[in-house]
Amino acid sequence: MTTTPGAENQASLVPGSLPRLSRAGLGLPAAAPVRQVHLGLGNFHRAHQAWYTAHAPDASEWGIAAFTGRRPDVAEQLGAQDALYTLITRSADGDTFDLVDQLVAVHPSTSHHQYLEYLRRPEVAVVTITVTEAGYVRGPDGHLDRGRDVVATDVAALRTSPDTAVTSLPARLVAGLLARRAVDAGPITILSCDNLPENGAVTATVVRELANEVDQTLPGWIDEHVDFATSMVDRITPATTDEDRRVVAASQGYEDAAPVPTEPYSEWVVAGRFPAGRPTWEDAGARLVEDVTPYEQRKLWLLNGAHSLLAYAGSIRGHTTIDEAIADPRCRGWVEDFWDEASRHLILPADAVAEYRTALLDRFANPRVRHKLSQIAPDGSIKLPVRILPALRAERDEGRTPVGCATVLGAWIRHLRGEGAPVQDPGADAARAAAAGPDLSTTVPAVLDTLGPGLGSDAELVRAVLEQMEALGSAG
């Protein structure tokens, strides 16, 4: 990895006039051996887990083979440039550029046989995951949603042949573990890096349950050979734009089809046994702990909860990015109200929480990150129970009416009714149908019950949500 500052002078460039990234062209050493596999190749993985591995002292021993989610675009872009990419770190006063070479192979999700081939290798020690909350195909009870078509199809496929291509995350993991068991390749760690409480336990649950559907002898082998590690991840990472590509070309003197913009702040807290080994992430700044919960709650409630609030309330008020929304005094006030409620129930010391809140305001206000509200808004039906409902329920248990939480819920309901950011939430069909009703006095309780059973019967909460829906105002 190399790091260079941003160029002050960005000359006009003719497309195709600069060399494309390649290991040979840059005189880089041979790629590291593949010892990690990643599922869900996207910007966040490349700004976070791959970045930490690249900064570890033993990075040369820990190459990553990564597989995309639904779309193959990133694999195609990176494959044409030896899996190299530029990380653009955007401070308020300028950019720095890291050339990251930790990915050594990139594949579309359809390359199932290649994925199984990696899992059969004893030296592959860690599988990391960033597929978003929806990828775990859980039902409302937190268990594998066996009624989903994709789950039934994947189970039938694996029963027919362990090598058959499958689609869902639990089935892909089960397929890999079947392949690993068949050749006695030894223990492995599966490490979720998604925004879910106790994401290691979540992963273990859906994998064991799907494994039991496929082969009842597999869960016992999993218990002996698979470590489901847990992590909290934190780094704001927007989508890549053509402007990012132009900036890299002008500053670095090469064409990069897949650079990644991110913020300076980064945090990773990990708990796991890692029986087959792992990179020395702690030497790159990660924190290895026995219990991730205090950090996980702080991040999910304060950062992600505020992101959801701003995505819905900010876009209703006409804003397009986090920095625009937090600059709106009303939006910032709602965020502070919500944080006051959530902070009362965090495990960490009050001074540490206050310090994190101050840092979040600075991060949100960074005008050069340009994190789009429309990028954050999808899948609210899955995100809000994790980000908002814990604080809401804790406040109600103590007899308080959580106006900040009610603001998020009210903004989400208006979002479902077609205001603000576009609705992209396959799990919200029932909520959208309920939200479409003409009478808000019955619509709001119905929507709340889709989010958390019994919420709609809490008259005080319903009243607060209705009031906050009105207080949100409108664009402009």
Side-chain angles (χ1 to χ4, degrees):
M1 166 180 288
T2 60
T3 303
T4 55
E8 298 296 328
N9 185 10
Q10 294 181 16
S12 296
L13 297 170
V14 177
S17 64
L18 295 175
R20 189 72 176 269
L21 274 174
S22 70
R23 287 185 176 275
L26 293 172
L28 296 177
V34 172
R35 296 192 65 197
Q36 297 178 82
V37 169
H38 181 77
L39 300 179
L41 175 60
N43 276 16
F44 183 75
H45 168 67
R46 291 187 287 144
H48 196 271
Q49 300 95 50
W51 180 84
Y52 276 97
T53 302
H55 280 77
D58 54 355
S60 62
E61 303 171 21
W62 290 94
I64 302 170
F67 291 78
T68 63
R70 297 190 186 106
R71 297 174 55 184
D73 310 36
V74 176
E76 293 168 358
Q77 291 170 338
L78 289 169
Q81 53 193 50
D82 292 343
L84 302 170
Y85 64 93
T86 311
L87 188 69
I88 313 167
T89 304
R90 295 229 144 103
S91 302
D93 57 356
D95 295 339
T96 58
F97 301 83
D98 288 357
L99 179 63
V100 182
D101 64 350
Q102 206 60 39
L103 295 180
V104 300
V106 287
H107 306 279
S109 60
T110 51
S111 294
H112 188 65
H113 289 290
Q114 181 61 65
Y115 162 69
L116 296 182
E117 195 276 324
Y118 287 128
L119 268 289
R120 292 185 182 106
R121 298 181 186 181
E123 67 270 21
V124 169
V126 181
V127 176
T128 52
I129 308 165
T130 52
V131 296
T132 77
E133 297 92 330
Y136 293 77
V137 290
R138 296 191 300 162
D141 61 357
H143 290 272
L144 180 72
D145 190 348
R146 293 177 173 84
R148 295 270 284 274
D149 289 345
V150 67
V151 173
T153 300
D154 284 347
V155 167
L158 290 175
R159 284 175 176 170
T160 301
S161 170
D163 291 348
T164 304
V166 289
T167 303
S168 68
L169 171 70
R172 293 180 75 187
L173 292 172
V174 167
L177 296 177
L178 284 167
R180 194 168 184 87
R181 182 181 69 169
V183 298
D184 195 21
I188 194 167
T189 292
I190 296 175
L191 173 60
S192 171
C193 301
D194 282 305
N195 288 319
L196 286 166
E198 300 180 352
N199 52 28
V202 168
T203 310
T205 295
V206 295
V207 167
R208 287 192 179 103
E209 290 178 347
L210 193 141
N212 192 60
E213 295 289 320
V214 173
D215 178 346
Q216 292 185 357
T217 70
L218 186 58
W221 182 89
I222 289 173
D223 291 341
E224 292 183 14
H225 294 85
V226 183
D227 168 37
F228 291 95
T230 300
S231 73
M232 184 283 293
V233 297
D234 191 353
R235 195 171 205 181
I236 296 171
T237 307
T240 301
T241 67
D242 287 339
E243 179 60 22
D244 296 325
R245 297 179 180 93
R246 286 190 289 269
V247 166
V248 169
S251 175
Q252 304 303 104
Y254 54 69
E255 288 189 13
D256 183 349
V260 178
T262 194
E263 63 169 336
Y265 184 94
S266 185
E267 187 176 22
W268 197 11
V269 184
V270 181
R273 295 183 294 107
F274 297 94
R278 60 167 175 79
T280 53
W281 289 317
E282 64 271 36
D283 292 333
R287 189 194 308 256
L288 277 296
V289 300
E290 292 296 320
D291 184 9
V292 169
T293 302
Y295 306 95
E296 179 182 81
Q297 290 179 342
R298 180 199 64 184
K299 192 260 181 170
L300 284 170
W301 299 358
L302 300 187
L303 187 151
N304 297 121
H307 265 182
S308 289
L309 193 162
L310 294 172
Y312 304 130
S315 61
I316 288 169
R317 290 179 59 77
H319 306 303
T320 59
T321 60
I322 287 289
D323 61 293
E324 289 177 6
I326 202 66
D328 179 336
R330 296 195 71 189
C331 287
R332 176 164 172 165
W334 291 324
V335 166
E336 294 278 16
D337 289 343
F338 168 67
W339 281 351
D340 287 344
E341 295 161 5
S343 296
R344 282 193 281 267
H345 308 286
L346 291 172
I347 301 169
L348 292 171
D351 57 346
V353 173
E355 182 180 347
Y356 188 71
R357 286 174 57 164
T358 299
L360 281 179
L361 289 175
D362 288 341
R363 295 167 65 190
F364 288 176
N366 185 340
R368 305 192 67 256
V369 173
R370 304 294 293 169
H371 199 185
K372 291 186 177 181
L373 303 180
S374 60
Q375 182 186 349
I376 301 166
D379 296 322
S381 63
I382 298 173
K383 293 174 179 176
L384 296 190
V386 170
R387 301 177 179 189
I388 309 302
L389 295 195
L392 183 152
R393 290 190 169 115
E395 287 288 281
R396 293 303 286 139
D397 287 346
E398 295 182 4
R400 289 185 289 269
T401 302
V403 175
C405 295
T407 305
V408 188
L409 300 183
W412 182 62
I413 293 171
R414 287 183 57 170
H415 162 74
L416 293 176
R417 289 170 66 88
E419 297 184 61
V423 178
Q424 299 179 50
D425 191 346
D429 288 349
R432 292 183 76 176
D439 183 356
L440 288 179
S441 66
T442 56
T443 290
V444 168
V447 176
L448 293 182
D449 277 334
T450 70
L451 201 60
L455 291 180
S457 60
D458 184 337
E460 183 65 19
L461 175 63
V462 171
R463 182 191 60 77
V465 171
L466 285 165
E467 289 179 354
Q468 292 311 107
M469 288 177 72
E470 179 68 25
L472 286 166
S474 59

